[in-house]
Amino acid sequence: MNHPRYCPSCGTLVVRYSNPYPTADVVIYDDNRGIVLIRRKNPPLGMALPGGFIEEGESAEHAAVREMKEETGLDITLDGVLGVYSWPLRDMRCHTLTTVFVGHSEHPEQLLAGDDAAAAAFYPLDAIPEPLCFDHARIIGHFRDWREGRRPLLPCAEDPSLEYDDIPYSRPF
């Protein structure tokens, strides 16, 4: 959606686009421990899947891996895409569009809250605390569906192990 406005100084027509903000979340799963949830340090407060905003010049897969390291201390491997969630009211701060991945860590014992997470812990799927922030209860329900063979997991399009540092990123205009 665009919002045409006029510059108060020169009168030039300026178009401001109001698009959803892209985010990446990950359901980090361990067969023996369950899934990782964080207690958010910033509003909206509460329990949530770890995740965050995709930075400019970053793929969703890279953002997912980076956010997991920042919020949980875990190096993860992405197993696939669970879904894309874009309901305009899923986040009351702003309209977000999130790509949700399923992932795992080879060293789940290294779980440690950081960045925007006040706490991080594994929870068995039958003992998920409520309520959860955003639409994360729905996402966890879809994760359960995948585990029980009722929902597909799609492959990741990008390889988050590739470094973009040597690729110049610049805006076309």
Side-chain angles (χ1 to χ4, degrees):
M1 177 183 306
N2 65 40
H3 302 281
R5 304 205 192 237
Y6 293 92
C7 174
S9 298
C10 67
T12 303
L13 177 64
V14 177
V15 178
R16 180 176 77 76
Y17 291 91
S18 181
N19 299 327
Y21 293 94
T23 63
D25 298 324
V26 181
V27 180
I28 303 173
Y29 185 72
D30 181 83
D31 285 328
N32 299 318
R33 293 176 165 93
I35 65 171
V36 173
L37 294 177
I38 62 162
R39 186 166 41 83
R40 291 177 51 81
K41 192 184 291 184
N42 300 312
L45 300 175
M47 301 299 287
L49 293 166
F53 291 96
I54 299 171
E55 296 176 359
E56 187 171 9
E58 183 177 51
S59 71
E61 291 84 352
H62 277 86
V65 170
R66 175 186 52 78
E67 284 286 346
M68 295 313 101
K69 184 66 170 179
E70 290 175 4
E71 291 194 354
T72 70
L74 296 176
D75 291 311
I76 65 159
T77 299
L78 297 176
D79 299 318
V81 177
L82 183 64
V84 175
Y85 299 81
S86 60
W87 181 50
L89 299 179
R90 66 178 301 273
D91 185 335
M92 296 310 291
R93 298 170 299 174
C94 60
H95 183 182
T96 62
L97 179 150
T98 193
T99 303
V100 179
F101 298 92
V102 172
H104 69 277
S105 174
E106 295 297 324
H107 300 285
E109 70 281 358
Q110 294 177 349
L111 180 64
L112 180 67
D115 195 32
D116 296 331
F122 279 96
Y123 291 87
L125 279 174
D126 61 357
I128 301 296
E130 293 182 4
L132 296 173
C133 292
F134 315 115
D135 55 356
H136 290 184
R138 179 176 177 230
I139 293 168
I140 292 170
H142 290 168
F143 173 76
R144 282 189 181 105
D145 290 344
W146 170 70
R147 294 278 300 166
E148 296 169 5
R150 295 190 308 265
R151 185 181 180 93
L153 194 65
L154 302 174
C156 294
E158 305 298 333
D159 182 352
S161 67
L162 297 176
E163 295 294 330
Y164 288 166
D165 296 341
D166 59 343
I167 301 172
Y169 175 79
S170 61
R171 298 176 66 77
F173 43 85

